[in-house]
């Protein structure tokens, strides 16, 4: 059952209330839910569906359509490799390759011990710093693949 | 509360006088590139140290939006009292706060970091959209007002009828800056003439094109310019509600816009009965979720309505059946940022910039193998060569420039020998590319054009919403085919199939994403055919 007394649900409820429980509030509500829970857990999606009078299939469909939404929790550390055009031209794929090999996971996955999530971004808009990697929300730019690996060690240690 | 132009001018005057108490001003760029190197802390530290040294009366410090020269981050400029131009210091480290204190105390100069403002990067630019970027504090509405924000809105409310506004915008020749290039005045007029109690103005800040960050910089550096443009659009078209659809991946832009809207409401510049004129207009923000297809008008609207970003067939057009089935104007951030300057200075002034078929300026994000990466605003009609070699400073490395790419995944590659064409909607289209929203990626001889084409196709494949077959299946098949070419395992028949399928996807897709997805392939096929042929194995 839903822990309705959980404060985090109150945050989600607040967003829905602000937008008058309209069906169009769905995406805004999912943003709030992800922000408060860290990811969209199935129970939260079901709760949102009920409150906005939407079929669960619709809520699930929307949550899986947009890249920004996560249905699984993030690892302890998050490493995002930007693969936008400017970064691609300057060797982002090589960096991503090295990271994938290092952890044995693909972009978008989390290591089985929930230690690191490796993500790729379509473009973080810091193109003049290409290639860019974001280590736990800290942007590092103009990286060689060796720099990128060194910074990775630094972040994880 | 600002109730009249006099109130507005009073605030501007007060702010300017207060600023006059200080002799100097230090502006620290807190745009994305500089911020990622720690410029916000630098700005705070300089302010703190100034207070310790008792310098706060002599100089004030503020964080400003992007000045454009992102490759030389961190940028700090020093405006001395009475000086007409600033001293721009580049490549500053976040730990250099003490140096600026020493600079103010005349104990040290930072000559080795001083940038020569007489370079083409600066003097060949013409700033309209970015006129305040790098000068005003985006967190402070009064600073924006002191630099002329909301003057145009009061001009409209006090002296113009909606029809006058439409005429002015039509006459200015302003065309949509999101890439399509549709005349803005005509778009507004088609909504203005529909009778409806509810109409909407939407600002498209979903900049999904990888390698482009123009709109992000405008929203972060001068958010009030966007709000003012939307309010004027609302007045002209008879709308009272606006939405800004912005990518959730741009948290700083979201923060600045949210703050700007809050402040504008507090000062009575958004909300009911603005300036006692009877005109009411308010703006809300809606967050996107990172889907390239949501740059398409009908998909964007589906997303604001809370659904998956699936486009639909047009007609009905947005002017009849837009957001929540009401008449809707959808403009790009940069388009809306042009509105206030046009109203303030007049259509004639605007028409004199650029060329007759493409008036005004265009903001470009220069990236890739180019020396001056960053944000530039140039008059339309400048040649691509000037833009790349003069403003951009030419290739960044030792290798020569091979091609440039405009328009992102929907655009095309232009080889070096065609760089003499002028930057305007029609010339770029003629040679198989598009203006696009303003991403301009420079590639040197080390780039393989087939790989670049595959990169964009793979992007479209993963961004296809899946609604129509030509796009969903076509982009997948095309990616697989291009993989073969990259691996040099393609056959002659693959080559024919590639050309053929590009045409099919282009002709039969439902929306712009699919219709333009083959462009990068088609343009590289046209100009770099030999690179494809190299990939053909003998059969």
């Amino acid at each position: 059952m839903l822990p309705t007394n959980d404060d985090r649900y109150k945050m989600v409820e607040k967003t829905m209330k602000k937008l008058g429980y309209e069906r169009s509030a769905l995406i805004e509500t999912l943003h709030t839910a992800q922000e408060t829970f860290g990811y969209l857990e199935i129970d939260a999606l079901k709760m949102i569906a009920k409150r906005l009078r939407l079929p669960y299939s619709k809520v699930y469909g929307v949550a899986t359509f947009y890249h920004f939404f996560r249905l699984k929790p993030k690892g302890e550390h998050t490493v995002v490799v930007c693969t936008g055009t400017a970064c691609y031209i300057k060797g982002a794929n090589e960096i991503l390759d090295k990271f994938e090999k290092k952890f044995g996971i693909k972009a978008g996955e989390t290591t089985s011990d929930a230690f690191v999530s490796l993500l790729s971004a379509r473009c973080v808009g810091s193109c003049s710093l290409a290639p860019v990697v974001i280590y736990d929300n800290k942007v590092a730019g103009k990286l060689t693949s060796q720099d990128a690996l060194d910074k990775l060690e630094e972040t994880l240690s | 509360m600002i109730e009249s132009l006099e109130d507005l001018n009073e605030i501007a005057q007060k702010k300017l006088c207060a600023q006059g108490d200080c002799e100097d001003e230090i502006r620290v760029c807190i745009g994305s590139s500089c911020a990622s190197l720690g410029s916000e802390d630098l700005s705070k530290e300089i302010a703190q140290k100034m207070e310790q040294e008792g310098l706060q009366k002599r100089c004030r410090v503020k964080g400003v939006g992007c000045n454009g020269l992102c490759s030389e981050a961190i940028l700090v400029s020093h405006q001395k009292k009475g000086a007409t131009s600033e001293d721009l210091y580049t490549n500053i480290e976040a730990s250099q706060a003490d140096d600026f204190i020493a600079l103010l105390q005349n104990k040290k100069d930072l000559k080795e970091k001083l940038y020569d403002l007489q370079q083409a990067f600066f003097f060949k630019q013409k700033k309209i959209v970015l006129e305040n970027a790098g000068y005003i504090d985006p967190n402070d509405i009064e600073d924006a007002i002191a630099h002329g924000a909301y003057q145009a809105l009061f001009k409209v409310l006090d002296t113009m009828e909606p029809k006058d506004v439409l005429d002015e915008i039509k006459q200015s020749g302003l065309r949509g800056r999101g890439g399509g290039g549709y005349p803005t005045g005509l778009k507004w007029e088609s909504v203005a003439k529909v009778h409806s109690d509810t109409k909407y103005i939407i600002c498209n800040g979903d900049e999904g094109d990888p390698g482009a960050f123009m709109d992000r910089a405008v929203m972060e550096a001068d958010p009030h310019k966007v709000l003012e443009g939307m309010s004027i659009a609302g007045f002209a078209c008879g709308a009272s509600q606006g939405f800004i659809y912005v990518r959730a991946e741009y948290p700083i832009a979201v923060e600045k816009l949210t703050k700007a809207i809050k402040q504008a409401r507090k000062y009575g510049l958004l909300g009911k009965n603005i300036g006692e004129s009877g005109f009411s207009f308010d703006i809300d923000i809606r967050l996107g979720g990172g889907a390239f297809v949501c740059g398409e008008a009908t998909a964007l609207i589906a997303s604001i309505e809370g659904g998956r970003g699936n486009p639909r067939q047009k007609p009905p057009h947005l002017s009849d059946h837009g957001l929540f089935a009401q008449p809707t104007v959808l403009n790009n951030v940069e388009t809306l940022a042009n509105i206030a300057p046009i109203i303030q200075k007049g259509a004639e002034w605007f028409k004199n910039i650029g060329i007759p078929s493409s008036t005004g300026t265009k903001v470009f994000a220069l990236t890739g193998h180019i020396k001056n990466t960053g944000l530039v605003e140039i008059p339309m009609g400048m040649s691509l060569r000037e833009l790349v070699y003069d403003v951009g400073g030419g290739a960044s490395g030792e290798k020569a420039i091979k091609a440039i790419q405009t328009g992102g995944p929907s655009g095309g590659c232009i080889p070096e020998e065609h760089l003499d064409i002028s930057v305007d909607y029609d010339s770029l289209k003629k040679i198989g590319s598009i203006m696009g929203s303003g991403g301009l990626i420079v590639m040197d001889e080390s780039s393989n054009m087939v790989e670049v084409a595959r990169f964009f196709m793979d992007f479209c494949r993963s961004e296809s919403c899946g609604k129509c077959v030509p796009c969903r299946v076509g982009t997948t098949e095309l990616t697989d085919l291009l993989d073969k070419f990259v691996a040099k395992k393609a056959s002659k028949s693959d080559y024919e199939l590639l050309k053929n399928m590009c045409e099919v996807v282009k002709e039969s897709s439902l929306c712009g994403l699919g219709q333009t997805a083959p462009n990068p392939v088609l343009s590289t096929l046209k100009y770099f055919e030999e690179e494809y042929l190299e990939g053909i194995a003998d059969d």
Side-chain angles (χ1 to χ4, degrees):
Chain A
M1 261 329 277
L2 292 179
T4 38
N5 53 352
D6 185 336
D7 273 352
R8 295 178 300 179
Y9 278 101
K10 284 186 192 151
M11 295 289 293
V12 181
E13 192 72 33
K14 210 173 122 192
T15 299
M16 291 189 284
K17 194 173 173 191
K18 196 178 96 194
L19 296 167
Y21 296 96
E22 292 283 338
R23 291 168 178 209
S24 61
L26 176 56
I27 292 178
E28 291 292 307
T29 309
L30 292 176
H31 277 295
T32 308
Q34 177 155 304
E35 212 168 281
T36 40
F37 289 89
Y39 73 105
L40 297 174
E41 48 179 78
I42 298 298
D43 280 350
L45 292 181
K46 285 184 178 158
M47 185 274 275
I48 292 167
K50 211 167 165 185
R51 301 296 285 152
L52 296 179
R53 291 162 290 120
L54 286 165
Y56 172 58
S57 60
K58 159 120 186 177
V59 175
Y60 186 82
V62 170
T64 50
F65 182 85
Y66 296 97
H67 299 295
F68 194 76
F69 296 128
R70 283 185 304 274
L71 272 67
K72 286 185 187 143
K74 273 206 274 195
E76 200 180 314
H77 293 283
T78 315
V79 180
V80 185
V81 181
C82 179
T83 53
T85 318
C87 291
Y88 168 78
I89 296 279
K90 295 210 166 170
N93 279 27
E94 200 184 316
I95 296 177
L96 187 58
D97 257 7
K98 290 221 158 119
F99 285 9
E100 286 182 341
K101 286 214 180 87
K102 185 173 165 71
F103 297 117
I105 53 172
K106 291 268 163 215
E109 296 176 350
T110 302
T111 52
S112 55
D113 56 358
F115 187 51
V116 182
S117 292
L118 178 61
L119 304 168
S120 67
R122 274 316 187 183
C123 182
V124 295
S126 296
C127 309
S128 50
L129 296 175
V132 171
V133 178
I134 305 173
Y135 301 92
D136 285 342
N137 293 328
K138 278 208 72 153
V139 179
K142 300 185 184 173
L143 300 165
T144 63
S145 52
Q146 192 54 49
D147 291 345
L149 282 168
D150 292 347
K151 286 241 175 204
L152 184 63
E153 291 298 327
E154 221 174 274
T155 310
L156 302 184
S157 63
Chain B
M1 274 305 245
I2 296 174
E3 287 175 356
S4 64
L5 184 61
E6 286 75 48
D7 292 355
L8 187 75
N9 287 334
E10 198 183 315
I11 288 181
Q13 270 312 318
K14 245 195 199 152
K15 183 79 183 170
L16 287 171
C17 287
Q19 288 178 346
D21 289 345
C22 287
E23 289 175 11
D24 293 12
E25 180 170 274
I26 283 187
R27 296 186 282 261
V28 182
C29 176
I30 49 167
S32 322
S33 292
C34 291
S36 64
L37 298 175
S39 67
E40 276 172 298
D41 290 341
L42 174 67
S43 167
K44 273 184 210 139
E45 207 185 327
I46 295 177
Q48 213 174 20
K49 291 209 157 135
M50 258 180 207
E51 218 156 293
Q52 284 165 10
E53 298 285 325
L55 288 167
Q56 73 271 29
K57 284 246 179 241
R58 251 209 68 199
C59 183
R60 78 183 149 267
V61 185
K62 68 183 182 190
V64 295
C66 186
N67 143 313
L69 195 60
C70 306
S71 52
E72 311 291 328
I74 299 172
L75 304 172
V76 179
S77 57
H78 178 207
Q79 179 100 42
K80 289 184 192 134
K81 187 174 191 176
T84 44
S85 78
E86 57 186 12
D87 293 332
L88 176 66
Y89 297 97
T90 56
N91 292 304
I92 299 295
E93 313 266 330
S95 57
Q96 276 185 285
D98 285 330
D99 288 344
F100 285 93
I101 302 297
L103 182 81
L104 284 171
Q105 293 170 330
N106 292 321
K107 286 182 188 158
K108 192 174 181 177
D109 64 35
L110 285 168
K111 270 205 179 106
E112 73 284 359
K113 302 269 189 183
L114 197 59
Y115 195 83
D116 178 11
L117 293 173
Q118 298 311 312
Q119 294 198 34
F121 180 82
F122 286 103
F123 80 78
K124 286 215 168 176
Q125 291 196 51
K126 168 83 194 163
K127 298 204 173 181
I128 297 176
V129 171
L130 298 172
E131 60 184 348
N132 291 334
Y135 294 98
I136 64 166
D137 177 355
N139 293 317
D140 181 3
I141 189 171
E142 293 195 358
D143 202 16
I145 291 173
H147 282 79
Y150 298 104
Q151 291 283 337
L153 179 63
F154 274 94
K155 183 175 176 184
V156 163
L157 296 178
D158 291 346
T159 65
M160 294 170 93
E161 294 293 319
K163 194 183 163 304
D164 303 331
V165 179
L166 292 175
D167 286 343
E168 197 74 22
I169 300 299
K170 270 198 291 185
Q171 263 180 27
S172 73
L174 176 67
R175 295 170 68 175
R177 297 293 194 247
Y182 190 78
T184 307
L186 292 182
K187 193 184 253 185
W188 287 15
E189 194 178 51
S190 60
V191 170
K193 66 185 181 199
V194 180
H195 291 284
S196 171
D197 291 339
T198 315
K199 296 178 186 177
Y200 296 105
I201 308 291
I202 303 177
C203 168
N204 180 356
D206 193 45
E207 201 162 55
D209 171 0
F213 51 99
M214 302 76 51
D215 295 346
R216 168 188 191 151
V218 175
M219 293 185 283
E220 288 179 7
D222 196 3
H224 291 285
K225 217 182 203 84
V226 181
L227 305 187
E228 190 179 3
M230 288 179 75
S231 302
I232 294 172
F235 178 82
C237 302
S240 55
Q241 176 67 45
F243 289 99
I244 303 178
Y245 185 79
V246 52
R247 292 178 72 186
E249 287 92 332
Y250 283 179
I252 303 176
V254 174
E255 180 209 314
K256 300 286 183 250
L257 285 168
T258 310
K259 215 178 258 177
I261 290 174
K262 223 169 150 184
Q263 291 182 353
R265 281 183 190 147
K266 193 176 144 209
Y267 281 76
L269 297 164
L270 280 178
K272 287 209 165 32
N273 195 14
I274 298 169
E276 303 280 304
S277 65
F279 169 65
S280 301
F281 193 77
D282 208 348
I283 298 173
D284 281 312
I285 294 178
R286 289 289 176 271
L287 295 182
F292 180 61
V293 69
C294 289
E296 202 276 341
T298 56
L300 189 152
I301 281 172
S303 181
I304 296 185
E305 288 172 352
R308 290 165 70 101
N310 286 338
R312 63 159 171 83
Q313 188 74 257
K314 281 191 286 191
H317 290 286
L318 301 195
S319 51
D320 299 317
H321 191 99
L323 183 62
F324 302 122
Q326 301 298 331
T328 301
V329 169
L330 175 65
N331 281 142
N332 166 270
V333 171
E334 195 185 330
T335 314
L336 288 163
N338 271 298
I339 300 300
I342 292 174
I343 294 295
Q344 191 61 15
K345 296 179 185 161
E348 284 305 317
W349 163 81
F350 192 77
K351 260 166 55 183
N352 281 326
I353 301 162
I355 57 171
S357 63
S358 302
T359 53
T361 59
K362 180 77 194 81
V363 181
F364 282 98
L366 301 180
T367 55
H369 300 129
I370 189 165
K371 192 165 155 259
N372 300 330
T373 55
L375 210 64
V376 299
E377 181 171 0
I378 53 148
M380 298 266 196
M382 180 185 270
S383 77
L384 269 175
R385 193 173 296 282
E386 247 181 302
L387 173 56
V388 171
Y389 285 95
D390 294 349
V391 179
S396 56
E398 301 198 331
K399 292 201 172 84
I401 291 174
K402 180 179 183 180
I404 64 155
Q405 213 275 349
T406 64
S410 312
C413 290
I414 302 166
E416 215 274 343
E417 60 266 28
H418 280 10
L419 289 190
D420 288 310
I421 66 153
S422 112
V423 177
D424 62 82
Y425 294 98
D426 311 300
S427 304
L428 284 166
K429 205 168 175 185
K430 226 179 269 167
I431 61 163
S433 190
I434 56 165
M435 174 82 90
S437 57
L440 195 154
I441 293 135
V442 177
M443 290 169 279
D444 68 16
E445 295 288 349
S446 65
S447 311
N448 175 317
M449 303 317 279
V450 184
E451 280 182 28
V452 170
R454 190 204 38 179
F455 169 79
F456 283 121
M457 189 53 72
D458 190 44
F459 177 83
C460 291
R461 179 195 57 74
S462 82
E463 292 299 323
S464 172
C465 79
K467 180 171 177 176
C468 77
V469 176
C471 178
R472 183 181 70 229
V473 181
T475 53
T476 304
E477 290 292 316
L478 281 169
T479 309
D480 290 349
L481 267 175
L482 288 166
D483 273 339
K484 277 189 175 176
F485 281 91
V486 171
K488 301 200 187 297
K489 283 184 182 152
S491 67
K492 261 232 136 77
S493 57
D494 286 332
Y495 184 66
E496 289 308 314
L497 183 62
L498 179 73
K499 286 210 250 183
N500 221 327
M501 204 178 313
C502 279
E503 290 304 323
V504 172
V505 173
K506 191 175 166 174
E507 295 299 324
S508 54
S509 291
L510 172 67
C511 83
L513 192 155
Q515 288 160 12
T516 58
N519 281 355
V521 182
L522 290 168
S523 69
T524 46
L525 270 172
K526 186 168 164 192
Y527 297 116
F528 301 96
E529 194 185 18
E530 67 286 354
E531 294 189 25
Y532 283 88
L533 296 176
E534 273 168 24
I536 293 184
D538 296 323
D539 26 17

